[in-house]
Amino acid sequence: MCGVAGVFFRTATSVDTTVRIAGHMASALVHRGPDDGGQWIDRDVGIALIHRRLSILDLSPTGHQPMVSASGRFVLVFNGEIYNHLELRKELEREGVQAPLSGPLPEEEGVYAPWRGHSDTETLLAACERWGLEETLRRAVGMFAIALWDRAERQLHLARDRLGEKPLYYGWCRGGFVFASELKALRRFPGFDNPVDRNALAAYLRFLYVPEPWSIYQGIYKLEPGCRLTLTGEGVTNLPSAPPHAPMDARGLLLRRWWSLHRVTEAGNAAPLGDEVAAVSALEERLRESIRLQSVADVPLGAFLSGGVDSSTIVALMQSEAVAPVRTFTIGFEDAAYDEAIYARAIAHHLGTDHTELSVTPHETLDVIPQLPRIYDEPFADSSQIPTLLVCRQARRHVTVALSGDAGDELFGGYNRYLWVQRIWTKLAWMPWPVRQAAVRLILSRSVDRWDTLGAWLKIRVNLLGDKAHKLAEGLSGVHDLDDLYHNLVSEWKQPMTVVLGAREVSTLLAHRDEWPVLREPEHRMMYLDAMTYLPGDILCKVDRAAMAVSLETRAPFLDHRVVELAWRMPLAMKICGGVGKWPLRRILYKYVPRELIERPKQGFGIPLAEWLRGPLRDWAEDLLDERRLNDEGFLNPVPIRRYWREHLGRRRNRQHALWAVLMFQAWLEART
């Protein structure tokens, strides 16, 4: 895992200036790569490639980046891992590749010509030289953000992995084109003064993250998952008039999608698997292969274990393949409603892992909050970012690489909305519009606490029932079909343009139904949309920034694209059975872990944020939400914000997530001034 950055200047710039700028940008990414760093500068064109290295494979200098190809034509910086690089290397050997030029010849035994080391970077570069970038991307299994400079064609190529595990920002600012793994490196570019994008800010308040391809800054974008961008010198001076969406062919800029989840979902649904036993067996073998590949490292390796289905499945398969106990990590809280450590502990004991559990106090958890604006670089309001950072910090004391269970929900139907939305809509859709809206008002007229009390009395086994009842009611407000309901459920501020002054609604995938794949079941549509938006924008961003803040590499076996493609060949009835999601994973997991250790209501990875805002965080929040302050800053309308704050303090409504979004923007704004 590493950090990459680079600049492509509009006009000729001295080498000394370029070196100084590159050094400033690299220093902002040291946490992503504390082990080594390098720069490569083309004197004639005015381009610089920058790299910071966290050594995982080939710890020797032969893995140093930037790396130059054997012919001298290509220069590469790369963040991520190519898990099948040894297989690719064998193919290249059969075709007679030559070694890259950069780096000293190795002194250790066992490294043979034509390779100078055993890093995946060297393999990736040789593959680009032999097969071209697009074919190399198709053959690669891994997570990556790549910058490749073609010295012959004078073209800069940027590429991002299929599902968006590794981040890559790019854009235009005063003096040239810039790109980097994190925004903090771009802000080190001299004269960076790109203003806050108010439209992106409104989208952030809706979704609690800034969705691709936007960033919080005007003129700076995120390369979408599965996309590649090619830029020539002409493109450095030709700024696009609108946010770049694939496909785009503008003067000096080509943007296209090299891998499409849209095509994968339609192909999978067109050729579904019919034999459930065979499908589950194939999934287990595919997951085993993914875990074997992702367990290759020259540094200590472990796994996160929350006690849920996803992480438990990964750990169970890891342990079944391992000759020694797998290192596992979990985090516990004093509040029992948010503490899954007891479940993780039981599963770790049953599997025989080397388990480490960290129990944190509210004070320790609250101490993390001031660090969040620096870590996440742009406003980010998934409050599980706090326990995620804490468990990453804990794991990094023992290992350098940790496997996670991310994406199990999106692939196999794990979120509550997949289980309940269709059934609820079926029961309510027949109601005349006025009756349905009256039901919404009735639900919202009862406080969260009253719904929780009623649920306990009726013995309804749903965690945080009151919160979920209110969320559902708000989701039903003003909707006309099930897809509208989904859009409402994933929206926190339903009308963010009334909150952000001078903002317009950005056009996201959720609003363009004509761009969705043809999927009969609404659950599958929701799973596709989550995988395209929520997964890269929230889940993978959250884990990447938290892990990289402490120089920890995380890997997600479910995101091997062959696992993804197999999952989409499974009919919905194989994924959700009897109102229970992730059925194929449960079938696998029950072979290793007793069912009673797993079967419980889905909890999530959260914190008691609602009570913290009314208690220990109240003064901090009051300062950031001060009406005069909001007016002076000029970004947010204080009227709806103050109303939400009063409702939350008075326990009439639980506004924790909407308020957290505002607070994280305010804290980010304060940190950058």
Side-chain angles (χ1 to χ4, degrees):
M1 196 68 61
C2 306
V4 300
V7 295
F8 198 164
F9 292 104
R10 294 176 182 170
T11 57
T13 306
S14 72
V15 172
D16 289 343
T17 299
T18 304
V19 168
R20 185 172 65 255
I21 293 171
H24 289 323
M25 295 177 72
S27 66
L29 298 174
V30 170
H31 58 288
R32 294 188 74 94
D35 299 326
D36 187 24
Q39 304 171 11
W40 184 90
I41 296 170
D42 190 316
R43 298 169 180 265
D44 299 325
V45 181
I47 189 166
L49 302 182
I50 302 156
H51 189 260
R52 289 297 317 183
R53 184 185 183 195
L54 175 63
S55 300
I56 303 295
L57 292 175
D58 191 351
L59 309 186
S60 74
T62 58
H64 177 81
Q65 298 183 48
M67 190 176 286
V68 183
S69 70
S71 68
R73 175 178 174 176
F74 296 103
V75 188
L76 174 76
V77 289
F78 149 63
N79 166 32
E81 301 289 345
I82 307 299
Y83 301 125
N84 68 330
H85 88 98
L86 293 178
E87 178 185 333
L88 297 179
R89 185 169 283 209
K90 289 178 181 177
E91 293 180 34
L92 291 165
E93 286 172 352
R94 289 193 291 268
E95 298 183 21
V97 300
Q98 299 179 25
L101 295 177
S102 64
L105 286 170
E107 297 178 358
E108 67 268 25
E109 296 181 2
V111 178
Y112 53 89
W115 306 103
R116 299 181 176 228
H118 60 273
S119 75
D120 54 347
T121 307
E122 187 179 3
T123 307
L124 181 63
L125 184 56
C128 290
E129 178 95 88
R130 182 71 179 182
W131 302 321
L133 176 59
E134 186 118 348
E135 180 61 23
T136 297
L137 294 173
R138 291 196 183 98
R139 297 191 188 199
V141 178
M143 56 178 184
F144 45 81
I146 295 169
L148 182 73
W149 172 244
D150 184 338
R151 300 170 76 180
E153 297 293 333
R154 295 195 171 190
Q155 292 180 336
L156 175 66
H157 302 282
L158 304 179
R160 193 174 179 202
D161 63 58
R162 295 170 176 85
L163 279 304
E165 287 189 75
K166 293 296 101 191
L168 191 57
Y169 292 87
Y170 71 93
W172 293 260
C173 60
R174 185 184 303 175
F177 179 87
V178 293
F179 66 89
S181 298
E182 296 184 17
L183 284 172
K184 55 176 63 70
L186 302 187
R187 290 201 302 269
R188 295 286 182 91
F189 187 80
F192 183 90
D193 60 356
N194 295 41
V196 170
D197 187 329
R198 292 173 184 261
N199 301 333
L201 175 57
Y204 156 75
L205 288 183
R206 177 182 291 280
F207 300 117
L208 308 185
Y209 59 88
V210 180
E212 277 93 348
W214 289 272
S215 85
I216 194 61
Y217 292 111
Q218 293 180 24
I220 303 296
Y221 305 102
K222 299 166 185 163
L223 186 61
E224 294 177 89
C227 287
R228 58 171 293 194
L229 180 149
T230 299
L231 188 83
T232 65
E234 189 178 29
V236 175
T237 57
N238 182 33
L239 280 68
S241 58
H245 286 276
M248 172 182 281
D249 190 356
R251 185 164 51 91
L253 184 148
L254 177 66
L255 178 64
R256 63 184 181 185
R257 197 172 295 280
W258 64 269
W259 186 85
S260 168
L261 184 62
H262 184 290
R263 289 194 292 268
V264 167
T265 57
E266 289 194 332
N269 274 252
L273 299 171
D275 186 330
E276 183 174 352
V277 173
V280 172
S281 177
L283 175 61
E284 181 174 359
E285 184 51 42
R286 184 63 76 192
L287 281 173
R288 284 186 180 278
E289 182 182 5
S290 177
I291 290 168
R292 282 194 292 266
L293 288 175
Q294 297 195 23
S295 295
V296 175
D298 295 332
V299 293
L301 176 141
F304 299 133
L305 179 60
S306 69
V309 172
D310 303 333
S311 64
S312 297
T313 301
I314 297 301
V315 170
L317 294 176
M318 284 180 73
Q319 190 61 69
S320 71
E321 296 277 333
V323 297
V326 172
R327 294 298 307 264
T328 55
F329 304 92
T330 193
I331 192 167
F333 297 95
E334 292 181 353
D335 189 331
Y338 296 87
D339 185 23
E340 288 192 306
I342 185 174
Y343 308 117
R345 189 185 315 137
I347 291 169
H349 177 75
H350 181 83
L351 293 174
T353 70
D354 182 1
H355 191 58
T356 301
E357 178 185 317
L358 175 66
S359 181
V360 296
T361 66
H363 178 75
E364 291 172 312
T365 310
L366 295 172
D367 283 345
V368 168
I369 293 175
Q371 305 169 36
L372 297 178
R374 174 185 58 81
I375 290 171
Y376 284 90
D377 261 346
E378 66 181 349
F380 183 79
D382 181 340
S383 60
S384 66
Q385 63 200 126
I386 296 174
T388 301
L389 177 61
L390 290 170
V391 76
C392 287
R393 184 181 294 169
Q394 173 209 47
R396 186 61 180 91
R397 298 188 182 106
H398 306 275
V399 299
T400 310
V401 178
L403 272 60
S404 79
D406 290 323
D409 287 305
E410 290 84 356
L411 293 177
F412 300 102
Y415 291 131
N416 286 324
R417 52 180 168 264
Y418 308 151
L419 309 179
W420 293 99
V421 165
Q422 168 75 348
R423 279 184 280 174
I424 291 172
W425 182 251
T426 300
K427 293 180 183 301
L428 296 178
W430 63 270
M431 291 183 179
W433 174 271
V435 176
R436 195 189 312 153
Q437 298 309 301
V440 166
R441 290 192 295 273
L442 177 62
I443 294 172
L444 294 177
S445 69
R446 302 297 187 267
S447 70
V448 168
D449 291 344
R450 290 190 66 181
W451 279 113
D452 287 340
T453 301
L454 179 62
W457 183 68
L458 294 175
K459 297 182 179 179
I460 299 174
R461 296 179 67 233
V462 176
N463 286 325
L464 306 174
L465 175 64
D467 285 343
K468 291 172 182 176
H470 274 202
K471 184 176 180 63
L472 176 61
E474 290 176 341
L476 288 167
S477 179
V479 304
H480 295 87
D481 60 26
L482 199 147
D483 292 323
D484 278 348
L485 175 56
Y486 167 80
H487 191 270
N488 256 11
L489 288 176
V490 298
S491 300
E492 192 58 47
W493 286 91
K494 304 296 190 289
Q495 298 294 329
M497 291 73 63
T498 66
V499 184
V500 182
L501 301 174
R504 294 179 292 105
E505 183 88 56
V506 300
S507 182
T508 68
L509 176 64
L510 300 186
H512 288 274
R513 299 187 185 185
D514 58 319
E515 297 180 9
W516 298 359
V518 178
L519 300 170
R520 182 172 56 86
E521 301 98 338
E523 295 89 346
H524 262 159
R525 290 201 299 275
M526 289 187 280
M527 291 163 65
Y528 168 78
L529 292 170
D530 280 340
M532 289 289 290
T533 58
Y534 178 67
L535 179 64
D538 186 309
I539 300 298
L540 299 179
C541 171
K542 173 183 65 180
V543 175
D544 175 82
R545 303 308 190 279
M548 284 285 88
V550 296
S551 304
L552 175 74
E553 172 169 305
T554 54
R555 300 175 177 179
F558 287 124
L559 288 177
D560 183 312
H561 70 278
R562 297 165 301 181
V563 174
V564 173
E565 290 163 1
L566 177 60
W568 276 101
R569 291 195 63 198
M570 291 184 170
L572 185 66
M574 284 189 191
K575 299 172 185 174
I576 300 176
C577 181
V580 178
K582 297 191 278 199
W583 193 241
L585 300 185
R586 294 175 191 272
R587 292 277 300 273
I588 295 169
L589 182 56
Y590 294 156
K591 294 166 60 176
Y592 304 95
V593 176
R595 184 186 296 248
E596 57 267 22
L597 293 184
I598 297 297
E599 294 301 334
R600 61 185 184 276
K602 184 175 179 61
Q603 184 160 318
F605 197 30
I607 56 174
L609 181 60
E611 290 307 312
W612 287 357
L613 290 175
R614 298 182 183 112
L617 290 179
R618 180 167 179 170
D619 290 344
W620 169 77
E622 189 65 68
D623 179 58
L624 291 174
L625 302 179
D626 179 75
E627 183 172 0
R628 181 177 299 177
R629 177 174 183 160
L630 292 171
N631 280 322
D632 289 345
E633 290 164 344
F635 287 103
L636 303 177
N637 177 5
V639 175
I641 294 170
R642 297 299 302 183
R643 183 178 72 250
Y644 271 29
W645 183 231
R646 289 191 299 271
E647 289 176 349
H648 186 80
L649 293 178
R651 296 184 178 273
R652 293 190 298 276
R653 304 284 290 277
N654 184 355
R655 300 294 192 182
Q656 58 178 339
H657 300 304
L659 290 168
W660 189 248
V662 176
L663 289 166
M664 285 293 96
F665 171 71
Q666 290 293 96
W668 173 83
L669 195 64
E670 182 178 65
R672 66 187 282 270
T673 56

